[in-house]
Amino acid sequence: AVLPLAWIAWSLDAGSARAFVLGAVGVLLCREDLALLVLAAAAVHAARHPGARRAVGATAAVTLAYALFFFLYLHPTHAPPRGSLQLHFGSHGDSLGAVALHLLTHPAELAAHLATAPRLLYLPKVLAPLAVLPLLRPRWLVPALPVLAVNLLSEWPTTTDLDVHYLTPALPFLVAGAVEGAAAAAAWVSRLGGLAGLSVAALAGHAVAGGTPLSLDYDGAAYAHDHRSAGAAAIVARVGPEASVQAPYPLLSHLAERPLLRRTPSREANADFC
């Protein structure tokens, strides 16, 4: 959904109702829960571009109806017994409503959760590679708020890491905010100085969490063919195309075309291969 989210980000700047509508459709075709980002972006678009409010408002109404259908009917009736909701918010309840009610009625527990070091450092860590420039144009933070809030509330241990996919949907808006913030910073520093600051911050963030040979934690051995990769290839070769299988994370992508695939451990006891 990153490309249609980028279309929405561009529409917020350009005032294009068409780009917003097409971006919203693209996002909803990818992920139902990203409807919250579309709604937040719609509010910003309507505030900045009054002439496009009719099309954007109609899109937001359809998006809200779709989100309610997903959260109130589709997810409760078709979600697996133990899915992402339980993994991220299991201690708060077994449904979206139960989780929201628990968080609202247990403010001390919520405050203690948010006061942990990974969560206190999360927003500074996210903004640091962007030289905190989005703070100069905070409207770009509004569409990113649903993602940032979910990541902060989640109990999953890696949700607040920079190098995981949970942050990805917020990036088009954060990067756009950094670019516009750099332009705003030209009132205090030169345009070249703002660009240099953003570049240095981005390179430093990449060095810490980038995952390429330019990163401090790059492990070249992870990309070399050795006895472990040969053994994994032999295991995958034994699993037929129609077999059901449970597998650890490193093998899942190599088995993704099987009709029934679960990560281990799983409650599924009838897999052909475990």
Side-chain angles (χ1 to χ4, degrees):
V2 176
L3 178 59
L5 284 169
W7 293 343
I8 291 177
W10 180 83
S11 77
L12 298 184
D13 183 59
S16 171
R18 180 182 180 185
F20 181 88
V21 173
L22 292 176
V25 172
V27 170
L28 296 180
L29 288 174
C30 294
R31 289 280 300 269
E32 299 91 341
D33 55 346
L34 293 182
L36 299 178
L37 273 76
V38 176
L39 292 173
V44 176
H45 198 295
R48 295 193 67 191
H49 308 289
R53 284 178 181 173
R54 178 175 296 182
V56 171
T59 304
V62 172
T63 299
L64 178 60
Y66 185 56
L68 291 174
F69 173 70
F70 170 73
F71 288 122
L72 300 181
Y73 173 73
L74 199 61
H75 187 271
T77 56
H78 296 284
R82 182 168 177 79
S84 296
L85 181 67
Q86 286 71 30
L87 291 175
H88 288 272
F89 308 103
S91 67
H92 304 312
D94 56 2
S95 69
L96 179 65
V99 170
L101 181 61
H102 183 92
L103 293 174
L104 289 173
T105 56
H106 295 76
E109 180 181 329
L110 175 60
H113 173 75
L114 295 177
T116 57
R119 286 156 187 84
L120 289 174
L121 296 175
Y122 181 57
L123 294 180
K125 185 168 60 176
V126 168
L127 293 173
L130 301 171
V132 301
L133 289 170
L135 294 180
L136 296 180
R137 287 295 182 266
R139 60 173 170 262
W140 288 103
L141 297 175
V142 174
L145 284 179
V147 170
L148 298 177
V150 169
N151 291 350
L152 284 170
L153 293 173
S154 172
E155 301 169 339
W156 191 252
T158 62
T159 310
T160 54
D161 292 347
L162 281 183
D163 55 352
V164 296
H165 65 281
Y166 299 111
L167 181 63
T168 303
L171 292 181
F173 306 103
L174 294 175
V175 172
V179 172
E180 193 169 315
W188 300 283
V189 298
S190 67
R191 187 180 297 271
L192 180 60
L195 179 61
L198 181 57
S199 300
V200 169
L203 289 173
H206 183 80
V208 173
T212 74
L214 298 177
S215 304
L216 298 176
D217 62 348
Y218 176 74
D219 181 12
Y223 300 92
H225 187 65
D226 56 16
H227 68 282
R228 292 182 302 172
S229 58
I235 292 172
V236 170
R238 293 187 58 190
V239 181
E242 301 299 324
S244 59
V245 59
Q246 297 180 42
Y249 271 117
L251 297 182
L252 290 182
S253 60
H254 302 281
L255 299 164
E257 295 183 0
R258 274 63 180 180
L260 182 61
L261 176 62
R262 289 182 170 87
R263 61 175 176 260
T264 52
S266 172
R267 296 182 181 182
E268 172 62 45
N270 298 318
D272 297 322
F273 292 86
C274 299

